[in-house]
Amino acid sequence: MAQSASPAPASARAQQTYEVHRAELPLSCPLPSMAVWNEHPRVYLSIVEDGGRSQCPYCGSVYVLVD
């Protein structure tokens, strides 16, 4: 009997992309306005130094600087 490969389990939290404005810096994940503010420890991301794009090491959320 052949067994089919099962897909890898999905992440508990889907990756999201958020636009960030300079007025909102310093950038932290999760953002204070997020309902899941206590999902993981707050980390500060150096979006300006990272070329306008940063990714959270905990949840994978991507932040893009738009101005």
Side-chain angles (χ1 to χ4, degrees), residues 22-40:
R22 289 185 186 272
E24 298 171 309
L25 299 180
L27 173 62
S28 65
C29 184
L31 294 170
S33 61
M34 292 179 173
V36 292
W37 63 268
N38 63 348
E39 183 172 300
H40 61 68

Side-chain angles (χ1 to χ4, degrees), residues 10-33:
S11 172
R13 183 181 191 294
Q15 181 177 336
Q16 298 288 323
T17 300
Y18 300 97
E19 292 184 343
V20 179
H21 298 274
R22 289 185 186 272
E24 298 171 309
L25 299 180
L27 173 62
S28 65
C29 184
L31 294 170
S33 61

Side-chain angles (χ1 to χ4, degrees), residues 11 13 29-30 39-45 55-61:
S11 172
R13 183 181 191 294
C29 184
E39 183 172 300
H40 61 68
R42 177 175 290 165
V43 293
Y44 287 90
L45 306 171
Q55 185 170 11
C56 176
Y58 286 101
C59 66
S61 291

Side-chain angles (χ1 to χ4, degrees), residues 22 25-27 44-54 65:
R22 289 185 186 272
L25 299 180
L27 173 62
Y44 287 90
L45 306 171
S46 55
I47 194 166
V48 174
E49 293 83 359
D50 292 342
R53 184 178 179 94
S54 289
L65 190 62

